[in-house]
């Protein structure tokens, strides 16, 4: 992704889930909304996400629980 990118279109998949919770993806780590929600253990869930990038082009992924999850992120497109 070029350094001129300001936002990204993503497909986010969570796998190997141990409890019901949520995942957020933001440029700063602060948000009031979730990007992926799941309700059952051992569930695989995906969602499309359009998010802005931080000034240095990064994202913060926050797991809303103390349990671990595996996350797969596919970059679909970017916007400059």
């Amino acid at each position: 992704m070029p350094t001129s990118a300001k936002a990204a279109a993503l497909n986010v998949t969570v796998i190997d889930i141990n409890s019901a919770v949520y995942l957020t993806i933001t440029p700063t780590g602060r948000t009031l909304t979730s990007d992926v929600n799941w309700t059952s253990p051992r569930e695989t869930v995906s969602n499309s996400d359009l998010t802005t990038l931080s000034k240095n082009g990064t994202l913060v992924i926050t797991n809303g629980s103390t349990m671990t999850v595996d996350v797969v992120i596919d970059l679909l497109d970017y916007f400059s």
Side-chain angles (χ1 to χ4, degrees), residues 6-64:
K6 304 290 184 214
L10 310 170
N11 185 59
V12 182
T13 304
V14 289
I15 55 177
D16 198 20
I17 302 161
N18 294 316
S19 65
V21 76
Y22 63 91
L23 190 79
T24 62
I25 302 170
T26 63
T28 63
R30 292 184 221 139
T31 186
L32 298 175
T33 60
S34 61
D35 295 292
V36 182
N37 300 290
W38 58 92
T39 57
S40 302
R42 312 252 186 262
E43 191 174 26
T44 298
V45 179
S46 64
N47 196 21
S48 296
D49 188 56
L50 181 60
T51 186
T52 56
L53 303 173
S54 69
K55 290 180 182 180
N56 63 357
T58 61
L59 296 170
V60 175
I61 302 168
T62 304
N63 175 4

